[in-house]
């Protein structure tokens, strides 16, 4: 499987592309600010067409380009219903701090929106994705899990959005955030995963569940407490 991505825009939000080897379809995860042009260029070079855009949560730095990408390719966006309102009213999810950056830009939902639920299993572009609802950073945050065949065997993969980072966790001081709820989500949905699970976060570099369990200061004692 092809698993690649690039940091986009002023927020350096990771936009990911997943595709089975030899496939003509792919999945796009979290196309943020200024992501559309490099994304489309990459897809053209790889002869890939997206089947869907998956959103780990509704914050604007992860959804900025979702509507133009979805409309260009005629595809749906998948998002948890608790964050759906941010697609058309992003300032409700961030507060007024981003108003100057947004300026007079207008945002709206893509024509087709599919709502995600905890435990959903999606079969898109030949890829099976399991959805884990992980509220805390936002109320509609989700982790997207799949597996990748490698020379060393099957590797589980988790796209964690802004729930878990390498050495850190998501902020919880924006509207809808809750620190205790975030820790509970990480304990219930992520620390139960195998240490070999590769973690692709919404910002920064990749890591693994084992690495975070061993060294992330925010997680010390968390699994034992749960």
């Amino acid at each position: 499987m092809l698993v690649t991505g690039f940091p986009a825009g002023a927020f350096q939000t990771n936009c990911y592309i997943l595709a089975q080897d030899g496939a003509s379809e792919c999945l796009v995860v979290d196309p943020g600010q200024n992501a559309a042009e490099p994304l489309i260029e990459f897809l053209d070079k790889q002869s890939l067409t997206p089947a869907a855009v998956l959103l780990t949560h509704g914050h604007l730095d992860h959804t900025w380009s979702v509507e133009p990408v979805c409309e260009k390719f005629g595809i749906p966006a998948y998002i948890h219903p608790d964050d759906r309102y941010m697609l058309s009213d992003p300032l409700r999810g961030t507060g007024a701090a981003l108003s100057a950056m947004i300026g007079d830009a207008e945002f709206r939902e893509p024509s087709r929106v599919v709502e995600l639920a905890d435990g959903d299993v999606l079969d898109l572009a030949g890829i099976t994705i399991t959805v884990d609802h992980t509220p805390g950073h936002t109320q509609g945050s989700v982790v997207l899990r799949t597996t990748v065949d490698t020379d060393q065997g099957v590797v589980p993969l988790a796209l964690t959005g802004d729930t878990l980072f390498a050495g850190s966790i998501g902020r919880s001081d924006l509207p809808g955030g809750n620190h205790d709820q975030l820790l509970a989500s990480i304990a219930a949905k992520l620390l139960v995963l195998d240490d070999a699970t590769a973690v692709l976060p919404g910002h920064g570099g990749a890591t693994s569940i084992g690495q975070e369990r061993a060294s992330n200061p925010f997680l010390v004692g968390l699994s034992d407490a749960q």
Side-chain angles (χ1 to χ4, degrees), residues 60-146:
L60 184 59
D61 58 322
H62 291 251
T63 67
W64 194 298
S65 300
V66 63
E67 194 269 343
V69 170
C70 285
E71 297 313 298
K72 175 176 176 57
F73 293 101
I75 58 175
Y78 287 69
I79 191 169
H80 192 277
D82 288 348
D83 277 11
R84 182 172 179 173
Y85 68 92
M86 285 186 256
L87 293 176
S88 57
D89 192 1
L91 287 181
R92 282 182 60 197
T94 61
L98 287 182
S99 58
M101 177 176 284
I102 291 174
D104 58 0
E106 295 183 0
F107 296 90
R108 56 184 179 272
E109 285 192 357
S111 299
R112 297 164 59 200
V113 176
V114 180
E115 294 187 348
L116 298 169
D118 186 51
D120 278 354
V121 178
L122 311 175
D123 187 3
L124 299 166
I127 301 170
T128 300
I129 300 283
T130 300
V131 178
D132 292 321
H133 184 208
T134 54
H137 176 64
T138 66
Q139 287 304 296
S141 289
V142 298
V143 168
L144 305 169
R145 291 188 292 112
T146 188

Side-chain angles (χ1 to χ4, degrees), residues 150-221:
T150 72
D151 294 339
Q152 290 74 43
V154 177
V155 175
L157 179 69
L159 294 102
T160 57
D162 287 1
T163 294
L164 179 66
F165 303 121
S168 189
I169 62 174
R171 62 189 294 181
S172 53
D173 59 331
L174 295 174
N178 183 303
H179 181 72
D180 291 340
Q181 189 180 38
L182 176 60
L183 292 177
S185 290
I186 292 170
K189 298 295 189 177
L190 291 175
L191 292 184
V192 297
L193 302 177
D194 190 277
D195 280 352
T197 303
V199 172
L200 298 183
H203 303 268
T207 182
S208 70
I209 292 296
Q211 178 67 27
E212 297 315 300
R213 194 193 311 276
S215 64
N216 190 317
F218 293 93
L219 307 187
V220 173

